Amino acid sequence: VIGTTGLQGRHENLMSECSRMAPIFHSPNMSVVVAILNEMVKDVAGILGGDEFDVEILEEHHKKKKDAPSGTALMLGKTIAEARKRTFSEVARFDRFNDVAQPRVEGEIGFAALRGGSTVGMHEVSFNGVFEKLTLRHDACDVGIFADGALRIARWLKDKKMPPGIYTMHDYLQSFMSKL
């Protein structure tokens, strides 16, 4: 069970190599509720489609968090780009500083990161239309949710006797959806 973000190609290659021998689970966030948020974001982005709705991702964490934007914010952005049939690199917008002459580019996904205090984590995705706005948000109030999620995943891998391979939160959620 791997919850590390910021992995490089060599790390992903090692994970892929190990997945031939054992089940490997990787997610930038171990919260099951964040996984549900990610699925909702995918559905909304797919339903709204195109570029009629501007997308902004806001995330907030404690002042000691080193990466910005967070791995979870990047995951949400990649999910939206994929649902819109775009590559993440072509639509991700991390900085608008000194870009006053540049209007918003159609289809871009804006990112904003806040750092301060003791906030465990907050992720908000806004789909901004001309006359309406839809916001989906998750607030982590205790770091224990991440340990709980990792333990749930470890039990799932063991109980389901998952074969070697790389698994994600999507796989975990799908195993429950198939029971409905």
Side-chain angles (χ1 to χ4, degrees), residues 25-43 72 75-76 79 123 136-139 145-146 149-150 152-153 168-174 176-177:
F25 182 90
H26 180 247
S27 177
N29 191 307
M30 290 296 157
S31 164
V32 174
V33 176
V34 165
I36 293 168
L37 171 66
N38 195 46
E39 293 294 318
M40 292 169 63
V41 162
K42 177 173 61 176
D43 290 345
T72 301
M75 173 190 72
L76 292 166
T79 296
H123 293 88
L136 302 171
R137 177 178 166 144
H138 174 266
D139 289 279
I145 64 170
F146 308 116
R152 284 176 187 239
I153 297 303
T168 66
M169 278 292 198
H170 179 76
D171 300 311
Y172 177 73
L173 292 178
Q174 287 302 112
F176 295 101
M177 296 303 292

Short mmCIF file of all heavy atoms in Angstrom, two decimals, residues 25-43 72 75-76 79 123 136-139 145-146 149-150 152-153 168-174 176-177:
data_model
loop_
_atom_site.label_atom_id
_atom_site.label_comp_id
_atom_site.label_asym_id
_atom_site.label_seq_id
_atom_site.Cartn_x
_atom_site.Cartn_y
_atom_site.Cartn_z
N PHE A 25 -0.91 -1.43 -4.29
CA PHE A 25 -1.97 -0.43 -4.28
C PHE A 25 -1.32 0.93 -4.18
O PHE A 25 -0.49 1.17 -3.31
CB PHE A 25 -2.92 -0.64 -3.10
CG PHE A 25 -4.06 0.32 -3.08
CD1 PHE A 25 -5.24 0.02 -3.72
CD2 PHE A 25 -3.93 1.55 -2.47
CE1 PHE A 25 -6.29 0.92 -3.74
CE2 PHE A 25 -4.97 2.46 -2.48
CZ PHE A 25 -6.14 2.15 -3.11
N HIS A 26 -1.69 1.84 -5.09
CA HIS A 26 -1.12 3.19 -5.05
C HIS A 26 -2.21 4.23 -5.20
O HIS A 26 -3.06 4.13 -6.09
CB HIS A 26 -0.08 3.38 -6.16
CG HIS A 26 0.52 4.74 -6.14
ND1 HIS A 26 0.31 5.65 -7.14
CD2 HIS A 26 1.29 5.38 -5.22
CE1 HIS A 26 0.94 6.78 -6.84
NE2 HIS A 26 1.54 6.63 -5.68
N SER A 27 -2.18 5.19 -4.30
CA SER A 27 -3.09 6.33 -4.38
C SER A 27 -2.44 7.52 -3.70
O SER A 27 -1.81 7.36 -2.65
CB SER A 27 -4.41 6.00 -3.66
OG SER A 27 -5.27 7.14 -3.69
N PRO A 28 -2.59 8.72 -4.26
CA PRO A 28 -2.03 9.89 -3.61
C PRO A 28 -2.79 10.29 -2.34
O PRO A 28 -2.33 11.13 -1.59
CB PRO A 28 -2.14 10.99 -4.67
CG PRO A 28 -3.19 10.53 -5.59
CD PRO A 28 -3.17 9.04 -5.56
N ASN A 29 -3.93 9.68 -2.11
CA ASN A 29 -4.73 9.98 -0.92
C ASN A 29 -5.44 8.70 -0.49
O ASN A 29 -6.08 8.03 -1.30
CB ASN A 29 -5.75 11.08 -1.25
CG ASN A 29 -6.43 11.63 -0.04
OD1 ASN A 29 -6.98 10.89 0.78
ND2 ASN A 29 -6.39 12.94 0.10
N MET A 30 -5.33 8.36 0.78
CA MET A 30 -5.91 7.11 1.29
C MET A 30 -7.33 7.27 1.85
O MET A 30 -7.91 6.30 2.33
CB MET A 30 -5.01 6.51 2.38
CG MET A 30 -3.71 5.98 1.86
SD MET A 30 -3.98 4.58 0.73
CE MET A 30 -2.47 4.65 -0.20
N SER A 31 -7.89 8.47 1.77
CA SER A 31 -9.25 8.67 2.24
C SER A 31 -10.23 8.06 1.23
O SER A 31 -10.20 8.39 0.04
CB SER A 31 -9.54 10.17 2.38
OG SER A 31 -10.94 10.39 2.49
N VAL A 32 -11.10 7.21 1.73
CA VAL A 32 -12.12 6.60 0.87
C VAL A 32 -13.09 7.67 0.38
O VAL A 32 -13.56 7.63 -0.76
CB VAL A 32 -12.85 5.46 1.61
CG1 VAL A 32 -14.00 4.91 0.78
CG2 VAL A 32 -11.86 4.35 1.97
N VAL A 33 -13.36 8.67 1.20
CA VAL A 33 -14.28 9.74 0.80
C VAL A 33 -13.65 10.59 -0.32
O VAL A 33 -14.35 11.01 -1.24
CB VAL A 33 -14.71 10.60 2.01
CG1 VAL A 33 -15.58 11.76 1.58
CG2 VAL A 33 -15.45 9.73 3.02
N VAL A 34 -12.33 10.81 -0.28
CA VAL A 34 -11.67 11.51 -1.37
C VAL A 34 -11.78 10.69 -2.66
O VAL A 34 -11.96 11.24 -3.74
CB VAL A 34 -10.20 11.84 -1.03
CG1 VAL A 34 -9.41 12.24 -2.28
CG2 VAL A 34 -10.14 12.95 0.00
N ALA A 35 -11.70 9.37 -2.53
CA ALA A 35 -11.87 8.50 -3.71
C ALA A 35 -13.26 8.68 -4.30
O ALA A 35 -13.43 8.73 -5.52
CB ALA A 35 -11.63 7.05 -3.33
N ILE A 36 -14.26 8.81 -3.44
CA ILE A 36 -15.63 9.04 -3.91
C ILE A 36 -15.71 10.43 -4.57
O ILE A 36 -16.33 10.58 -5.63
CB ILE A 36 -16.63 8.89 -2.76
CG1 ILE A 36 -16.66 7.43 -2.29
CG2 ILE A 36 -18.03 9.38 -3.17
CD1 ILE A 36 -17.38 7.20 -0.98
N LEU A 37 -15.07 11.43 -3.96
CA LEU A 37 -15.02 12.76 -4.56
C LEU A 37 -14.41 12.69 -5.96
O LEU A 37 -14.93 13.29 -6.90
CB LEU A 37 -14.20 13.72 -3.68
CG LEU A 37 -13.88 15.08 -4.29
CD1 LEU A 37 -15.14 15.91 -4.50
CD2 LEU A 37 -12.88 15.83 -3.41
N ASN A 38 -13.32 11.95 -6.11
CA ASN A 38 -12.66 11.83 -7.40
C ASN A 38 -13.60 11.20 -8.45
O ASN A 38 -13.63 11.64 -9.60
CB ASN A 38 -11.38 11.01 -7.27
CG ASN A 38 -10.48 11.14 -8.46
OD1 ASN A 38 -10.22 12.24 -8.96
ND2 ASN A 38 -9.98 10.02 -8.95
N GLU A 39 -14.36 10.21 -8.04
CA GLU A 39 -15.34 9.59 -8.96
C GLU A 39 -16.44 10.59 -9.33
O GLU A 39 -16.87 10.65 -10.49
CB GLU A 39 -15.95 8.34 -8.34
CG GLU A 39 -14.97 7.19 -8.14
CD GLU A 39 -14.44 6.60 -9.43
OE1 GLU A 39 -15.23 6.43 -10.39
OE2 GLU A 39 -13.23 6.33 -9.48
N MET A 40 -16.89 11.38 -8.35
CA MET A 40 -17.91 12.39 -8.63
C MET A 40 -17.39 13.44 -9.59
O MET A 40 -18.10 13.86 -10.52
CB MET A 40 -18.37 13.05 -7.32
CG MET A 40 -19.14 12.12 -6.40
SD MET A 40 -19.39 12.81 -4.74
CE MET A 40 -20.38 14.24 -5.09
N VAL A 41 -16.14 13.88 -9.38
CA VAL A 41 -15.52 14.87 -10.25
C VAL A 41 -15.43 14.34 -11.68
O VAL A 41 -15.71 15.06 -12.63
CB VAL A 41 -14.13 15.26 -9.68
CG1 VAL A 41 -13.26 15.93 -10.72
CG2 VAL A 41 -14.29 16.13 -8.44
N LYS A 42 -15.06 13.07 -11.81
CA LYS A 42 -14.98 12.45 -13.14
C LYS A 42 -16.35 12.47 -13.81
O LYS A 42 -16.47 12.83 -14.99
CB LYS A 42 -14.45 11.02 -13.03
CG LYS A 42 -14.40 10.28 -14.37
CD LYS A 42 -13.72 8.93 -14.29
CE LYS A 42 -14.42 8.00 -13.38
NZ LYS A 42 -13.84 6.65 -13.35
N ASP A 43 -17.38 12.08 -13.07
CA ASP A 43 -18.73 12.05 -13.63
C ASP A 43 -19.19 13.45 -14.04
O ASP A 43 -19.73 13.64 -15.14
CB ASP A 43 -19.72 11.44 -12.64
CG ASP A 43 -19.50 9.94 -12.45
OD1 ASP A 43 -18.79 9.32 -13.27
OD2 ASP A 43 -20.03 9.40 -11.46
N THR A 72 -3.18 15.16 -4.16
CA THR A 72 -4.63 14.96 -4.32
C THR A 72 -5.20 15.97 -5.32
O THR A 72 -6.01 15.61 -6.18
CB THR A 72 -5.34 15.08 -2.96
OG1 THR A 72 -4.80 14.09 -2.08
CG2 THR A 72 -6.84 14.89 -3.09
N MET A 75 -4.24 14.82 -8.68
CA MET A 75 -5.07 13.67 -9.07
C MET A 75 -6.43 14.14 -9.58
O MET A 75 -6.91 13.67 -10.62
CB MET A 75 -5.26 12.73 -7.87
CG MET A 75 -6.24 11.60 -8.11
SD MET A 75 -6.66 10.68 -6.60
CE MET A 75 -7.67 11.87 -5.73
N LEU A 76 -7.06 15.07 -8.86
CA LEU A 76 -8.36 15.58 -9.27
C LEU A 76 -8.27 16.26 -10.64
O LEU A 76 -9.12 16.05 -11.50
CB LEU A 76 -8.91 16.55 -8.22
CG LEU A 76 -9.28 15.93 -6.87
CD1 LEU A 76 -9.46 17.01 -5.81
CD2 LEU A 76 -10.51 15.06 -6.98
N THR A 79 -7.90 13.66 -13.36
CA THR A 79 -9.20 13.00 -13.57
C THR A 79 -10.09 13.85 -14.46
O THR A 79 -10.74 13.34 -15.39
CB THR A 79 -9.88 12.73 -12.22
OG1 THR A 79 -9.07 11.81 -11.48
CG2 THR A 79 -11.27 12.15 -12.40
N HIS A 123 -9.90 20.06 -0.13
CA HIS A 123 -9.84 20.08 -1.60
C HIS A 123 -11.21 20.47 -2.12
O HIS A 123 -12.22 19.88 -1.70
CB HIS A 123 -9.42 18.71 -2.14
CG HIS A 123 -8.02 18.38 -1.79
ND1 HIS A 123 -7.69 17.75 -0.60
CD2 HIS A 123 -6.86 18.63 -2.43
CE1 HIS A 123 -6.38 17.62 -0.55
NE2 HIS A 123 -5.85 18.14 -1.64
N LEU A 136 -17.68 20.95 -5.48
CA LEU A 136 -17.55 19.70 -4.73
C LEU A 136 -16.36 19.87 -3.80
O LEU A 136 -15.29 20.31 -4.23
CB LEU A 136 -17.34 18.52 -5.67
CG LEU A 136 -18.43 18.31 -6.71
CD1 LEU A 136 -18.01 17.25 -7.73
CD2 LEU A 136 -19.73 17.91 -6.05
N ARG A 137 -16.52 19.51 -2.52
CA ARG A 137 -15.47 19.80 -1.54
C ARG A 137 -15.33 18.68 -0.52
O ARG A 137 -16.32 18.07 -0.12
CB ARG A 137 -15.82 21.10 -0.83
CG ARG A 137 -14.86 21.48 0.27
CD ARG A 137 -15.26 22.79 0.88
NE ARG A 137 -14.56 23.01 2.13
CZ ARG A 137 -14.14 24.19 2.53
NH1 ARG A 137 -14.36 25.25 1.81
NH2 ARG A 137 -13.53 24.31 3.68
N HIS A 138 -14.10 18.43 -0.12
CA HIS A 138 -13.79 17.48 0.94
C HIS A 138 -12.90 18.16 1.97
O HIS A 138 -11.93 18.83 1.60
CB HIS A 138 -13.06 16.24 0.39
CG HIS A 138 -12.61 15.31 1.47
ND1 HIS A 138 -11.34 15.37 2.00
CD2 HIS A 138 -13.26 14.32 2.11
CE1 HIS A 138 -11.23 14.43 2.94
NE2 HIS A 138 -12.38 13.78 3.02
N ASP A 139 -13.24 18.02 3.24
CA ASP A 139 -12.42 18.53 4.33
C ASP A 139 -11.94 17.36 5.18
O ASP A 139 -12.76 16.56 5.66
CB ASP A 139 -13.23 19.48 5.23
CG ASP A 139 -13.52 20.79 4.54
OD1 ASP A 139 -12.62 21.64 4.55
OD2 ASP A 139 -14.64 20.96 4.01
N ILE A 145 -7.95 9.58 9.26
CA ILE A 145 -8.72 9.05 8.12
C ILE A 145 -7.80 8.39 7.10
O ILE A 145 -8.20 7.45 6.43
CB ILE A 145 -9.59 10.13 7.44
CG1 ILE A 145 -8.74 11.24 6.82
CG2 ILE A 145 -10.62 10.68 8.41
CD1 ILE A 145 -9.50 12.20 5.94
N PHE A 146 -6.57 8.89 6.99
CA PHE A 146 -5.64 8.33 6.01
C PHE A 146 -5.13 6.96 6.46
O PHE A 146 -5.03 6.04 5.66
CB PHE A 146 -4.50 9.31 5.74
CG PHE A 146 -5.00 10.68 5.38
CD1 PHE A 146 -4.73 11.76 6.19
CD2 PHE A 146 -5.77 10.88 4.24
CE1 PHE A 146 -5.22 13.03 5.87
CE2 PHE A 146 -6.26 12.13 3.91
CZ PHE A 146 -5.98 13.21 4.73
N GLY A 149 -8.00 4.52 6.00
CA GLY A 149 -8.12 4.14 4.59
C GLY A 149 -7.05 3.14 4.18
O GLY A 149 -7.33 2.15 3.50
N ALA A 150 -5.81 3.37 4.61
CA ALA A 150 -4.71 2.45 4.27
C ALA A 150 -4.96 1.06 4.85
O ALA A 150 -4.71 0.05 4.19
CB ALA A 150 -3.38 3.01 4.77
N ARG A 152 -7.95 -0.23 5.57
CA ARG A 152 -9.06 -0.81 4.78
C ARG A 152 -8.54 -1.41 3.48
O ARG A 152 -8.94 -2.50 3.09
CB ARG A 152 -10.09 0.27 4.41
CG ARG A 152 -10.98 0.70 5.51
CD ARG A 152 -11.86 1.84 4.99
NE ARG A 152 -12.63 2.41 6.06
CZ ARG A 152 -13.96 2.46 6.05
NH1 ARG A 152 -14.63 1.99 5.03
NH2 ARG A 152 -14.60 3.01 7.05
N ILE A 153 -7.63 -0.70 2.82
CA ILE A 153 -7.06 -1.16 1.56
C ILE A 153 -6.25 -2.42 1.78
O ILE A 153 -6.36 -3.39 1.01
CB ILE A 153 -6.18 -0.06 0.92
CG1 ILE A 153 -7.03 1.16 0.57
CG2 ILE A 153 -5.42 -0.59 -0.28
CD1 ILE A 153 -8.19 0.93 -0.34
N THR A 168 -5.83 0.73 -7.70
CA THR A 168 -6.08 2.11 -7.31
C THR A 168 -7.37 2.19 -6.50
O THR A 168 -8.09 1.20 -6.37
CB THR A 168 -6.22 3.00 -8.56
OG1 THR A 168 -7.42 2.59 -9.26
CG2 THR A 168 -5.01 2.91 -9.47
N MET A 169 -7.67 3.38 -6.03
CA MET A 169 -8.92 3.60 -5.30
C MET A 169 -10.12 3.30 -6.19
O MET A 169 -11.15 2.85 -5.70
CB MET A 169 -9.00 5.03 -4.77
CG MET A 169 -8.27 5.25 -3.48
SD MET A 169 -9.07 4.37 -2.12
CE MET A 169 -8.34 5.21 -0.75
N HIS A 170 -9.97 3.53 -7.47
CA HIS A 170 -11.07 3.21 -8.40
C HIS A 170 -11.38 1.71 -8.33
O HIS A 170 -12.54 1.32 -8.27
CB HIS A 170 -10.70 3.63 -9.82
CG HIS A 170 -11.76 3.31 -10.82
ND1 HIS A 170 -12.92 4.05 -10.94
CD2 HIS A 170 -11.85 2.31 -11.73
CE1 HIS A 170 -13.67 3.53 -11.88
NE2 HIS A 170 -13.06 2.48 -12.38
N ASP A 171 -10.35 0.88 -8.33
CA ASP A 171 -10.54 -0.57 -8.22
C ASP A 171 -11.23 -0.92 -6.90
O ASP A 171 -12.14 -1.76 -6.87
CB ASP A 171 -9.20 -1.31 -8.30
CG ASP A 171 -8.49 -1.06 -9.60
OD1 ASP A 171 -9.12 -1.18 -10.67
OD2 ASP A 171 -7.28 -0.74 -9.55
N TYR A 172 -10.79 -0.28 -5.84
CA TYR A 172 -11.37 -0.53 -4.51
C TYR A 172 -12.86 -0.19 -4.52
O TYR A 172 -13.69 -0.99 -4.10
CB TYR A 172 -10.61 0.29 -3.47
CG TYR A 172 -11.17 0.18 -2.07
CD1 TYR A 172 -10.99 -0.97 -1.32
CD2 TYR A 172 -11.87 1.24 -1.50
CE1 TYR A 172 -11.49 -1.08 -0.03
CE2 TYR A 172 -12.38 1.15 -0.21
CZ TYR A 172 -12.18 -0.01 0.52
OH TYR A 172 -12.68 -0.11 1.79
N LEU A 173 -13.21 0.99 -5.02
CA LEU A 173 -14.62 1.40 -5.05
C LEU A 173 -15.44 0.50 -5.97
O LEU A 173 -16.58 0.16 -5.66
CB LEU A 173 -14.74 2.85 -5.49
CG LEU A 173 -14.21 3.90 -4.51
CD1 LEU A 173 -14.34 5.30 -5.11
CD2 LEU A 173 -14.89 3.81 -3.16
N GLN A 174 -14.87 0.11 -7.10
CA GLN A 174 -15.59 -0.76 -8.05
C GLN A 174 -15.95 -2.10 -7.41
O GLN A 174 -16.98 -2.68 -7.74
CB GLN A 174 -14.76 -0.98 -9.31
CG GLN A 174 -14.69 0.23 -10.22
CD GLN A 174 -16.06 0.69 -10.66
OE1 GLN A 174 -16.51 1.76 -10.27
NE2 GLN A 174 -16.73 -0.07 -11.46
N PHE A 176 -17.02 -2.61 -4.55
CA PHE A 176 -18.26 -2.43 -3.81
C PHE A 176 -19.43 -2.17 -4.73
O PHE A 176 -20.55 -2.59 -4.45
CB PHE A 176 -18.12 -1.29 -2.78
CG PHE A 176 -17.12 -1.59 -1.72
CD1 PHE A 176 -15.86 -1.05 -1.76
CD2 PHE A 176 -17.43 -2.46 -0.69
CE1 PHE A 176 -14.92 -1.35 -0.80
CE2 PHE A 176 -16.51 -2.78 0.28
CZ PHE A 176 -15.24 -2.21 0.23
N MET A 177 -19.17 -1.46 -5.81
CA MET A 177 -20.23 -1.14 -6.77
C MET A 177 -20.78 -2.39 -7.43
O MET A 177 -21.95 -2.47 -7.75
CB MET A 177 -19.73 -0.16 -7.83
CG MET A 177 -19.33 1.20 -7.28
SD MET A 177 -20.66 2.02 -6.37
CE MET A 177 -21.80 2.36 -7.69
#
